[in-house]
Structures are given as structure tokens and as C-alpha cells.
């Protein structure tokens, strides 16, 4: 059988079938139009080992003497006795190539009664999508314990980068050498988790933002999961992930099937920026993306509306919902240029704090005797969309819905807590509603659907504020089914209300993955609006998720979550490289600071088309107190700035000082990512003299020569020589606009 050979965007995948199973020969750099005879890759057989070469299978298995993690773990239950067919011998039965760099590989073990179908697509931007479906073709039940999706990294992948974090400090990097053994990141939160690794990246020594080879994977799943790098003694390193199934969560009846979450995988020989390009291309080529590519947008009417400036009311008023105050806030927001006004927690029955009301999704008649209509009319009449906060997956014990249906609360017991069953510990005074229960699911759907039908709501901020611990339905573990039920809820509401955007918020950034992002239009990266923390949070979130999908807000001068105080320019520039908004009582912003904020909102509106469509560029700087990152127009390999018309914006960059430097001054800093042979004008556009915090931005007697009127140079000169940068005070930033000269 001929090998399967997929190629796209400087990436290729080769799978051989000569051993009888699907063996991944190569995943990485493009190998050209033709392959040699793959027989030349026959491996030696060492002493004291199995008497055959061990393949790196698409589904590694012990029957081929694979001594790392097997892809499929499970056993058959025959006549009530477990443990049979514990080791399968899958062999290729069928390979079907499809249009668009796609294929399906079917492997079976007739004796064990197991069939696995593997679906692979190498997308146009080079992102590989892989998922497996296992089917029980036997005559008795089969308990599935794990089905993993894995791919081999090349032998020169010697370093591993993954991400970790906590509430208000999500997605921070950690590195380690790849050595023999298995590095496993386990998420038992019942949701993706604040500490979840958005990406597993194996790469060559010292790989960085713009250099080195990298093989990276992401598991598109919003429930319990594992991501891992498995390095075995015969020299292979496999990276991948799987859903982490609870005890007996998936038992396949005869004829039953289970499909894994998709594993998305990207290869780059240009560092982490190349990985981002592959993911961004996939997002932007989806027809349902909020800002799809021109080709994809043609498939959906109304697609491509610019991402509106947002005002969220949480850090402005918290639970203090008062119509007069909120209309004043709407007046102030509209005057600044806000385009979407979002009413946060506190609008529904019994909700005066976070102890009560969750689950009672009715407008509180005591607070809103005429419903939300007066506020919605005030918002929309001022030219803004109206958005609303909801948390449909959670309930408080102090709620009408729980008093009526105590059996709808998730827990480890068969009985409800009213009948003596045990509840999980509370988390922020709340519990989880059992969406696996069809009556509970229908109630939540009906209430949210009614809110959307009865009110002019364009946007839902959909929150999920706790882990799913001791999570069970009818006494059995049910995170798997709860996750699928939540997906069905999103899908059904989207189908009924296709014009409504939904944000995935999960106590900030605890549900950020491509599973939830298939159903939502933006994520809230963190509950922390501290600009210093956000620099790291947004940088590493943006490794996978493009900026148009990452909410970034200007918070109050002193941060609600860290008590740090920052100037407006630092907070605004940080929020710029995302879906920009504010979470602040903007009624209090006056005088020169208000004019500065208004001007910056204009900068966002002027450049959001570039920010939300361009290539993300992150410089590798030797001075770790500084960061230089930005967005460059035009696809890789073409002239930045699109048409190259003189004066057109080719790029936006920001120089950020996160702390004091060991050096007295930063020296010349290269500006990468521009077209080498084009000429550009680099100008500092924010803050500038006259802005409220300009004088506090720098600590220098004299600025660099170019700062006042700009610098003209070629892209090659800017990348190789750079420009002398000003001496920024710690926790300050400077926005640079690059135009074609």
C-alpha cells in the first residue's frame, strides 16, 4: 500500500503502512513533491529487545512492543467479568484519501472486536487536525479507559515548553529538557483549568519566538484531560493528549462508539511565531469566525463586522445595579466611543451578592420593575449594542430552582442532598447544575432562550466560576457527559440565535481551548486587569488564540485584583492587542485623561482591522526586562502593508518595560517581521507630549534622535540594526506605528 503523504504550508505528514499498522514516518518540514522508497528507513534491531523494529504508530500499542504509553487502554466485560481483550493488535483495513489534504485510516482487530477510525486533515495554514473514533464491534460491552492522540517529534527536539498558572495568573511558561520518561500535565478540574497548558511545544535547543524548530500540540477539550510528552528508550518522543475519563465513564455497548477530542498540531522552523501563524490561519479560515478570511466570509452573510469597543460594568458598579447609575455610565461610555455595553452579574432574582440567585434566570422584578427594557433602550438609543452576563451551568443552594429541584445538583451520590445524599464542597457559594439530566438541560436552555427572545441582547458573557469536583450523575462520574451537554447547550442557543455573540469566561481564563472556541466568539483571558500581569497572560494566550478572540480591558487605575497602580497609557496599550474594551467606571475619567482615553479608543478603531488580521510578531530580546511585540500586515512572504501604498500602516509594535534593567539604556532594538526590501517610517504614536502620563513614561535626560519626528529605514535595516529605544520607566509602554515610506 502506498504511503499517505499530506503537504501544506511548508509542513508535511508521511504515514507508512508497510508494517501492517499506520506508522508515522515524518511530521515536520515539507519534503518536496516526491518521496524515496521508504524501505531505506528500516531500523536496526538491538540486542535484548523484541526481534523486530518497533514502529512509531499513529496508535502506539503494546502488541507492537511499544514500551511507552499505549494510545488505547480498555478491556472487555464478558458475562460480567472485566479484563478481557486488554491488549489489541490493530492492523490497517482501509485508507481513504479525501479532498483538501484529508484522509481516514481504519485499523481493526477482529479478534478483540475493536475498530479505530482515524481522521486527519492538514489545513491550508499547516495546522494538522487529528481525531480517533473507536467502535466496539464485539458482542459484549467494552470499557474504554483512554484513547490518546499522539504524534512523534523529531530527534532534535530536546526542550519542552508548556504553560501553567492559577486564577489571575493564567498561562505562564515553563521549560525543561526532554529526557527519558513521561512528562504529564493532568487537568482534573472538570473544565480546562487555570493551570492547563494551552500548548505542548517540543523544540530544538534554545528555540525562541522567531528561531528554532518546534513541534506543538493542543487538545481541543473543555473537560478533564491529560497532555504529555513520552520519551522512550528506543529514541522516540511522542507528544499528545487525551480526555481523562473517570471510573467507567465510557462503556461501549456492542456497536457503540467514542470519538476523541481533536488534537491540533503545528510544526514551525521559524520559532513560536510560526506556530501562531498556523493556528491563526485555521481560526481565520473558519466560515463562522468572527472575522473570517475573505474567502470564508463569502460563505456567511454579515461576517467580518469589526470587533466593537466594549464597556463591561463589573468593576464599575459590581452588584450595585441602579438604573440611573447605569444610564449615566452608558452616557459616559457612548461619549467616549464605546460600541458594546455589557451588564454584568447582579440583574436576576435574589442576586444582591454571590450567595444567592444562581439558576433563577429571570429579571429581578424588585430591581427592574419594567424589566431590562429601559436600560436596553437607553444603551441602544446611544448607538451601542447591549450584552448580558449569565452563568447557566451553576446554581446557588439559595435559589428557587434548587428548592424546586434539589435532584438537579451534581454530586457523588445517587440521592439528592435533600434525601441524604452528599454534596461536593461549595466553591464561591455555588454548585453545578446537572446538564446530563434532560429536564435540567431543557430548563436552562428555555430560560436563556427566553432572555434572548424577549430582549434586544447582542452578546452573552457566559461565565463558569468553579471546578467540577466529585462530579456525578445518578451516582456515577459524569464530567465527560456534562462537557458534551454544555457543548450541546452552546450549539442549540447559537442555532436559535445566530446573531448573538458569546464570550467564554470561566472565573477568567479557566476554559480556554479550541473545543469551547468552536462554540464561542471570544474568551476572557483572565479576571486580572492588571496590565503588568496581562502582558504575560495575553502574550502566551496569543500563542494559539488570535487577538480578535481575546478580551483585553482597561481596568481602573488601581487594579481590583493586585492593588497595583498603573498609568492609563500602559493599561491602554496592553489592552490594544486583543479585543479592546474597558471595565471601569468611566464617569470618573475627566480632563486631560479623558481626552487621552478618547484618543486611544480612536487609535484602536483606526487599527483594529490590522490587529485582528495581521501576523503576530514577537522579538527575541536579550534584555528580559523588555518586550517588543506587534502585528504586521500581509501574509508571510508578501510585502507588509498589503499594497505598499505610501503612508499605509504596515505594522503596530509596542515596546514594554516590565521591570528595571541591568543596563542604563536599552540600546538599539531590532524590529523584525517587516519586508526586507521595503522602506518604512517608524513613529511613536502613544503616549505623546500632551498626554496625561507622558512625563512619567520615560526616565532620560535626552530621548533618542528619532523619537520626535520618526525614523525612515528599510525592513532589512530595522531587523538587523534596529533603532535606539528610549529609556522607559518600569511598567510603562510605547506604541510604535510603522507605515510604508
Amino acid at each position: 500500500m502506498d504511503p499517505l503523504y499530506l503537504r501544506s504550508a511548508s509542513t508535511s505528514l508521511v504515514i507508512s503502512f508497510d508494517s501492517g499498522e499506520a506508522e508515522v514516518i515524518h511530521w515536520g518540514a515539507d519534503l518536496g513533491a516526491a518521496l524515496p522508497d521508504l524501505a531505506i528507513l528500516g531500523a536496526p534491531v538491538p540486542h535484548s529487545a523484541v526481534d523486530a523494529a518497533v514502529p512509531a504508530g499513529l496508535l502506539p500499542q503494546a502488541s507492537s512492543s511499544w514500551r511507552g504509553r499505549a494510545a488505547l487502554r480498555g478491556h472487555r466485560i464478558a458475562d460480567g467479568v472485566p479484563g478481557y481483550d486488554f491488549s489489541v493488535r490493530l492492523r490497517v483495513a482501509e485508507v481513504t484519501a479525501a479532498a483538501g489534504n484529508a484522509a481516514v485510516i481504519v485499523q481493526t482487530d477482529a479478534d478483540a472486536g475493536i475498530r479505530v477510525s482515524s481522521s486527519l486533515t492538514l489545513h491550508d495554514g499547516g495546522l494538522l487536525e487529528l481525531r480517533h473514533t473507536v467502535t466496539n464491534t464485539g458482542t459484549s460491552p467494552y470499557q474504554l479507559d483512554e484513547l490518546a492522540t499522539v504524534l512523534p517529534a523529531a530527534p532534535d527536539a530536546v526542550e519542552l515548553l508548556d504553560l501553567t498558572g492559577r486564577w489571575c495568573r493564567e498561562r505562564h511558561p515553563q521549560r525543561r529538557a526532554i529526557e527519558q520518561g513521561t512528562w504529564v500535565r493532568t487537568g482534573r478540574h472538570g473544565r480546562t483549568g487555570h493551570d492547563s497548558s494551552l500548548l505542548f511545544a517540543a523544540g530544538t535547543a534554545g528555540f525562541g519566538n522567531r528561531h528554532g524548530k518546534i513541534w506543538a500540540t493542543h487538545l481541543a477539550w473543555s473537560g478533564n484531560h491529560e497532555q504529555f510528552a513520552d520519551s522512550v528508550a528506543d529514541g522516540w518522543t511522542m507528544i499528545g493528549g487525551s480526555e481523562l475519563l473517570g471510573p467507567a465513564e465510557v462503556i461501549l455497548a456492542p456497536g457503540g462508539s467514542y470519538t476523541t477530542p481533536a488534537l491540533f498540531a503545528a510544526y514551525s522552523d521559524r520559532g513560536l511565531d510560526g506556530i501562531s501563524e498556523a493556528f491563526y490561519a485555521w481560526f481565520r479560515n473558519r466560515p463562522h469566525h468572527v472575522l473570517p478570511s475573505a474567502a470564508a466570509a463569502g460563505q456567511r452573510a454579515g461576517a467580518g463586522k469589526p470587533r466593537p469597543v466594549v464597556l463591561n460594568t463589573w468593576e464599575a458598579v459590581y452588584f450595585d445595579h441602579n438604573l440611573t447609575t447605569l444610564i449615566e455610565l452608558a452616557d459616559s461610555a457612548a461619549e467616549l466611543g464605546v460600541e458594546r455595553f455589557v451588564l454584568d452579574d447582579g440583574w436576576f432574582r435574589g442576586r444582591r451578592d454571590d450567595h444567592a440567585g444562581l439558576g433563577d434566570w429571570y429579571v429581578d422584578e424588585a430591581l427592574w420593575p419594567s424589566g431590562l427594557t429601559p436600560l436596553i433602550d437607553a444603551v441602544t438609543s446611544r448607538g451601542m449594542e447591549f450584552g448580558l452576563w449569565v452563568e447557566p451551568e451553576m446554581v446557588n443552594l439559595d435559589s428557587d430552582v434548587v428548592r424546586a429541584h434539589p435532584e438537579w445538583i451534581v454530586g457523588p451520590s445517587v440521592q439528592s442532598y435533600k434525601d441524604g445524599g452528599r454534596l461536593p464542597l461549595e466553591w464561591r457559594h455555588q454548585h453545578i447544575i446537572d446538564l446530563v439530566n434532560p429536564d435540567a438541560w431543557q430548563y436552562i436552555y428555555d430560560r436563556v432562550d427566553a432572555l434572548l427572545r424577549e430582549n434586544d441582547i447582542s452578546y452573552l458573557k457566559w461565565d463558569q466560576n468553579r471546578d467540577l469536583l466529585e462530579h456525578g450523575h445518578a451516582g456515577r462520574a459524569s464530567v465527560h457527559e456534562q462537557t458534551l451537554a454544555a457543548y450541546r447547550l452552546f450549539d442549540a442557543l447559537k442555532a436559535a440565535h445566530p446573531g448573538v455573540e458569546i464570550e467564554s469566561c470561566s472565573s477568567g481564563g479557566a476554559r480556554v481551548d479550541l473545543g469551547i472556541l468552536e462554540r464561542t466568539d471570544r474568551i476572557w483571558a483572565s479576571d486580572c486587569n492588571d496590565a503588568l500581569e496581562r502582558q504575560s497572560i495575553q502574550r502566551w494566550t496569543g500563542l494559539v488564540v488570535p487577538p480578535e478572540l481575546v478580551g483585553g480591558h482597561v481596568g481602573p487605575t488601581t487594579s481590583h485584583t493586585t492593588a497595583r497602580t498603573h498609568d492609563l497609557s500602559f493599561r491602554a496599550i496592553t489592552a490594544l492587542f486583543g479585543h479592546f474594551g474597558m471595565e471601569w467606571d468611566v464617569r470618573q475619567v475627566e480632563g486631560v485623561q479623558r481626552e487621552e482615553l478618547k484618543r486611544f479608543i480612536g487609535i484602536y478603531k483606526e487599527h483594529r482591522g490590522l490587529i485582528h488580521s495581521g501576523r503576530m510578531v514577537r522579538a527575541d530580546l536579550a534584555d528580559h526586562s523588555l518586550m517588543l511585540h506587534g502585528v504586521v500586515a500581509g501574509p508571510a512572504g508578501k510585502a507588509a502593508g498589503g499594497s505598499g501604498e505610501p503612508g499605509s500602516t504596515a505594522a503596530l509594535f509596542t515596546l514594554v518595560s516590565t521591570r528595571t534593567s541591568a543596563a542604563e539604556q536599552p540600546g538599539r532594538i531590532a524590529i523584525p517581521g517587516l519586508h526586507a526590501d521595503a522602506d518604512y517610517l517608524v513613529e511613536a504614536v502613544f503616549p505623546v507630549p500632551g498626554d496625561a502620563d507622558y512625563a512619567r513614561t520615560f526616565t532620560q535626560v535626552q530621548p533618542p534622535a528619532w523619537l520626535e519626528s520618526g525614523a525612515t529605514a528599510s525592513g532589512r535595516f530595522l531587523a538587523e540594526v534596529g533603532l535606539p529605544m528610549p529609556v522607559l520607566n518600569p511598567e510603562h509602554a510605547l506604541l510604535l506605528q510603522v507605515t510604508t515610506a
Side-chain angles (χ1 to χ4, degrees):
M1 186 182 296
D2 291 337
L4 175 67
Y5 187 24
L6 305 180
R7 301 172 65 206
S8 176
S10 301
T11 297
S12 63
L13 175 73
V14 182
I15 297 178
S16 170
F17 309 107
D18 291 344
S19 66
E21 63 182 287
E23 179 181 0
V24 182
I25 299 296
H26 172 80
W27 165 51
D30 185 28
L31 300 178
L35 297 174
D37 183 351
L38 297 182
I40 63 175
L41 298 179
V45 177
H47 285 295
S48 190
V50 64
D51 296 333
V54 179
L58 188 64
L59 292 159
Q61 48 192 328
S63 58
S64 298
S65 285
W66 181 260
R67 288 172 288 173
R69 288 173 63 120
L72 176 65
R73 291 190 302 108
H75 58 91
R76 189 168 299 284
I77 304 168
D79 298 324
V81 179
Y84 297 99
D85 295 326
F86 67 93
S87 179
V88 296
R89 186 177 184 273
L90 295 167
R91 292 297 179 262
V92 175
E94 182 181 348
V95 178
T96 305
N101 259 332
V104 175
I105 301 170
V106 177
Q107 300 183 81
T108 63
D109 181 344
D111 293 336
I114 294 295
R115 177 182 187 268
V116 180
S117 174
S118 303
S119 172
L120 306 95
T121 303
L122 186 58
H123 294 282
D124 288 346
L127 191 67
L128 176 64
E129 182 177 355
L130 167 65
R131 55 170 55 84
H132 304 303
T133 298
V134 58
T135 301
N136 177 11
T137 60
T139 58
S140 60
Y142 182 86
Q143 178 171 317
L144 180 68
D145 296 323
E146 181 182 30
L147 180 53
T149 42
V150 298
L151 289 163
D156 52 346
V158 295
E159 288 185 13
L160 183 70
L161 179 146
D162 59 354
L163 307 177
T164 188
R166 59 171 173 81
W167 179 70
C168 282
R169 198 180 184 274
E170 295 89 341
R171 285 171 295 286
H172 278 58
Q174 54 186 13
R175 284 196 187 228
R176 60 188 33 78
I178 294 177
E179 298 174 324
Q180 286 188 15
T182 305
W183 173 251
V184 182
R185 293 294 309 282
T186 301
R188 292 189 174 91
H189 302 279
R191 54 180 174 172
T192 320
H194 291 288
D195 62 345
S196 175
S197 185
L198 186 65
L199 200 76
F200 249 57
T204 51
F207 69 87
N209 291 324
R210 299 191 61 78
H211 67 275
K213 297 179 182 179
I214 300 171
W215 296 259
T217 60
H218 167 89
L219 188 70
W221 181 245
S222 308
N224 289 337
H225 63 278
E226 286 191 336
Q227 294 167 279
F228 54 84
D230 189 21
S231 187
V232 294
D234 59 11
W236 287 107
T237 295
M238 309 294 278
I239 57 173
S242 63
E243 180 183 3
L244 180 63
L245 295 170
E249 270 201 289
V250 175
I251 297 178
L252 301 177
S257 296
Y258 163 89
T259 299
T260 67
L263 184 80
F264 288 90
Y267 165 77
S268 168
D269 61 2
R270 296 172 288 109
L272 292 166
D273 280 1
I275 297 294
S276 295
E277 285 183 22
F279 277 96
Y280 287 18
W282 178 82
F283 273 108
R284 289 168 177 169
N285 283 328
R286 302 177 304 165
H288 59 285
H289 188 59
V290 291
L291 288 170
S293 66
Q299 303 176 40
R300 182 165 65 98
K305 183 184 74 173
R307 307 300 282 142
V309 177
V310 176
L311 179 81
N312 184 279
T313 66
W314 179 243
E315 291 190 32
V317 300
Y318 298 99
F319 286 109
D320 186 14
H321 284 203
N322 175 281
L323 181 59
T324 301
T325 298
L326 289 167
I327 290 178
E328 289 175 359
L329 191 60
D331 278 331
S332 184
E335 193 272 336
L336 286 168
V338 168
E339 298 160 310
R340 175 179 286 163
F341 184 97
V342 181
L343 182 66
D344 212 288
D345 193 1
W347 55 268
F348 47 97
R349 283 182 185 168
R351 191 67 164 177
R352 299 298 179 271
D353 54 34
D354 62 2
H355 289 72
L358 279 178
D360 295 342
W361 301 111
Y362 296 85
V363 178
D364 193 321
E365 299 88 344
L367 276 177
W368 306 93
S370 300
L372 293 174
T373 300
L375 178 60
I376 293 174
D377 287 348
V379 167
T380 56
S381 68
R382 287 157 176 79
M384 296 181 289
E385 298 176 356
F386 182 80
L388 192 66
W389 180 95
V390 292
E391 193 173 4
E393 298 159 78
M394 302 296 161
V395 291
N396 292 124
L397 290 185
D398 186 2
S399 64
D400 292 341
V401 67
V402 168
R403 282 185 280 272
H405 295 285
E407 74 280 7
W408 285 1
I409 296 182
V410 162
S413 302
V414 175
Q415 296 176 312
S416 79
Y417 81 103
K418 290 287 191 181
D419 297 320
R422 180 165 59 85
L423 284 177
L425 293 175
E426 285 193 329
W427 179 307
R428 204 190 172 200
H429 317 296
Q430 62 191 51
H431 290 276
I432 302 151
I433 193 165
D434 185 7
L435 295 178
V436 181
N437 182 314
D439 293 332
W441 187 97
Q442 192 64 50
Y443 164 78
I444 293 297
Y445 173 84
D446 288 344
R447 289 310 316 139
V448 179
D449 175 62
L451 284 168
L452 295 175
R453 282 188 291 102
E454 296 165 5
N455 298 280
D456 186 4
I457 296 171
S458 302
Y459 176 85
L460 288 178
K461 178 181 177 181
W462 186 305
D463 214 337
Q464 182 212 33
N465 272 310
R466 66 157 293 166
D467 283 0
L468 282 61
L469 304 176
E470 289 199 303
H471 191 97
H473 168 77
R476 300 184 63 198
S478 63
V479 170
H480 170 74
E481 289 297 336
Q482 179 84 1
T483 306
L484 294 177
Y487 283 172
R488 289 196 302 274
L489 186 59
F490 281 102
D491 292 344
L493 288 166
K494 272 285 192 179
H497 305 277
V500 175
E501 286 189 18
I502 301 178
E503 173 186 84
S504 172
C505 177
S506 186
S507 47
R511 187 155 67 177
V512 176
D513 60 80
L514 271 64
I516 200 67
L517 276 164
E518 266 297 274
R519 296 160 170 86
T520 56
D521 304 285
R522 122 175 176 155
I523 51 105
W524 186 227
S526 178
D527 278 344
C528 183
N529 281 321
D530 178 321
L532 182 62
E533 295 295 335
R534 275 283 183 149
Q535 282 290 332
S536 291
I537 291 167
Q538 290 175 193
R539 182 264 176 273
W540 292 102
T541 303
L543 184 60
V544 168
V545 185
E548 62 269 27
L549 298 181
V550 181
H553 290 177
V554 180
T557 305
T558 298
S559 169
H560 163 82
T561 55
T562 67
R564 282 197 190 103
T565 297
H566 287 130
D567 282 340
L568 174 59
S569 61
F570 186 49
R571 286 143 53 216
I573 290 173
T574 300
L576 176 67
F577 291 91
H579 180 191
F580 178 84
M582 291 163 286
E583 194 161 331
W584 186 15
D585 188 352
V586 293
R587 297 175 302 165
Q588 301 173 2
V589 186
E590 299 175 334
V592 66
Q593 190 178 55
R594 188 172 186 88
E595 292 308 308
E596 180 178 337
L597 178 58
K598 189 182 298 185
R599 187 169 74 83
F600 193 84
I601 290 171
I603 289 174
Y604 168 75
K605 290 180 177 179
E606 178 185 358
H607 296 296
R608 58 186 163 190
L610 166 62
I611 295 167
H612 298 154
S613 66
R615 288 184 291 115
M616 186 66 70
V617 173
R618 308 174 186 93
D620 290 299
L621 301 184
D623 186 343
H624 292 167
S625 72
L626 296 173
M627 299 169 64
L628 180 78
H629 64 87
V631 179
V632 177
K638 295 186 179 179
S643 67
E645 294 287 337
S648 62
T649 300
L652 285 177
F653 283 93
T654 181
L655 179 70
V656 181
S657 171
T658 59
R659 59 184 184 270
T660 58
S661 172
E664 290 182 337
Q665 49 100 0
R668 293 198 298 258
I669 290 180
I671 301 176
L674 300 167
H675 191 271
D677 296 324
D679 289 330
Y680 299 96
L681 173 64
V682 182
E683 299 173 283
V685 295
F686 190 81
V688 296
D691 285 334
D693 47 8
Y694 180 80
R696 292 189 298 272
T697 298
F698 309 103
T699 177
Q700 56 195 11
V701 175
Q702 178 177 313
W706 66 272
L707 192 63
E708 183 176 350
S709 56
T712 300
S714 69
R716 191 184 311 277
F717 186 94
L718 292 170
E720 299 298 333
V721 178
L723 293 174
M725 289 295 169
V727 184
L728 291 174
N729 274 320
E731 301 175 28
H732 284 79
L734 183 66
L735 183 65
L736 306 176
Q737 182 175 346
V738 181
T739 55
T740 51

